[in-house]
Amino acid sequence: MNQYVTGAAIKKLREQRHMTQSMLADKLAVSDKTISKWETGKGYPDITLLESLADALSISVTELLSGNTITNSNVSANMMRSHFYVCPICRNIVHSMGEAMIHCHGIQLTLEAPEKADELHGISVELIEDEYYVRIHHEMSKSHYISFIAAVSGDQMQMIKLYPEGEAAARFKRSGIKKIYFYCNRDGLFCHTIRPSTSE
């Protein structure tokens, strides 16, 4: 654990839920003075209370420890709202269909914000029968390469993992693809929208 729950986080989360210190104390079977000590930084909740404290505040233990709550509005699980996270240590790729709190190697991963494909990260998409042939115009050296290409439609995602010194290209089943994402190990995530004239 690289951090512990702070008093400021407990107070913020409690107040967001319109709870008094006494109300929270009753839920945890502790005194309101104990809650006050936590919130003023004069003490910390015992680790055995973390799960109960998180439940009382209607969040996960991970959210409690980070002090941030996740509000996921993607209740329909629409793949067009795909999010990508990449671990800077092991290059692990994590995909979610909405906001999430992802950890890898003990660190919280940052949501990759996609940028529009540019001159240095050019993309060509060719429709061949029932497939899209996607090619990224980018070097593929050991130190600078495209890590993955993903094709997303409303109900599915197809992802191809790429490797240094390989080809920066992939084929995807046509099936309603609307967006192509690709990740450069130096410059981050890029997105290309399939034009209606070439999509299904």
Side-chain angles (χ1 to χ4, degrees), residues 79-94:
M79 296 296 277
M80 294 303 294
R81 296 179 182 172
S82 288
H83 288 164
F84 295 90
Y85 302 80
V86 179
C87 178
I89 298 172
C90 70
R91 297 298 176 189
N92 187 18
I93 303 160
V94 182

Side-chain angles (χ1 to χ4, degrees), residues 13 16-17 57 59 63 66-71 99 101:
L13 294 166
Q16 285 176 346
R17 284 146 185 79
L57 296 171
I59 60 173
E63 290 171 304
S66 72
N68 298 314
T69 55
I70 296 297
T71 303
E99 192 174 350
M101 189 172 295

Side-chain angles (χ1 to χ4, degrees), residues 17-178:
R17 284 146 185 79
H18 309 289
M19 295 172 63
T20 64
Q21 288 182 342
S22 294
M23 291 165 66
L24 180 57
D26 288 343
K27 288 178 178 284
L28 300 173
V30 298
S31 70
D32 53 353
K33 288 183 179 179
T34 298
I35 303 296
S36 179
K37 282 184 179 180
W38 295 347
E39 293 185 354
T40 56
K42 295 177 181 175
Y44 295 95
D46 188 86
I47 197 164
T48 60
L49 288 174
L50 289 186
E51 190 169 347
S52 298
L53 179 57
D55 286 343
L57 296 171
S58 302
I59 60 173
S60 68
V61 173
T62 302
E63 290 171 304
L64 176 63
L65 291 173
S66 72
N68 298 314
T69 55
I70 296 297
T71 303
N72 197 339
S73 59
N74 192 19
V75 293
S76 62
N78 186 337
M79 296 296 277
M80 294 303 294
R81 296 179 182 172
S82 288
H83 288 164
F84 295 90
Y85 302 80
V86 179
C87 178
I89 298 172
C90 70
R91 297 298 176 189
N92 187 18
I93 303 160
V94 182
H95 167 259
S96 71
M97 294 183 295
E99 192 174 350
M101 189 172 295
I102 310 293
H103 286 77
C104 190
H105 282 84
I107 59 172
Q108 184 176 331
L109 303 186
T110 303
L111 172 66
E112 293 290 337
E115 295 181 28
K116 188 175 180 180
D118 57 22
E119 291 180 6
L120 298 176
H121 301 85
I123 181 173
S124 62
V125 180
E126 184 181 356
L127 182 59
I128 303 174
E129 295 181 0
D130 66 339
E131 290 184 325
Y132 282 118
Y133 175 66
V134 179
R135 185 167 179 268
I136 312 301
H137 308 287
H138 191 283
E139 68 175 288
M140 291 292 283
S141 67
K142 288 183 178 179
S143 60
H144 194 191
Y145 57 91
I146 299 300
S147 177
F148 71 84
I149 306 175
V152 178
S153 66
D155 61 357
Q156 66 177 305
M157 183 195 67
Q158 305 169 60
M159 180 185 285
I160 303 294
K161 179 74 176 83
L162 304 178
Y163 298 93
E165 301 183 328
E167 185 181 11
R171 291 181 179 273
F172 300 100
K173 294 273 184 195
R174 186 176 182 182
S175 59
I177 291 173
K178 303 293 182 194

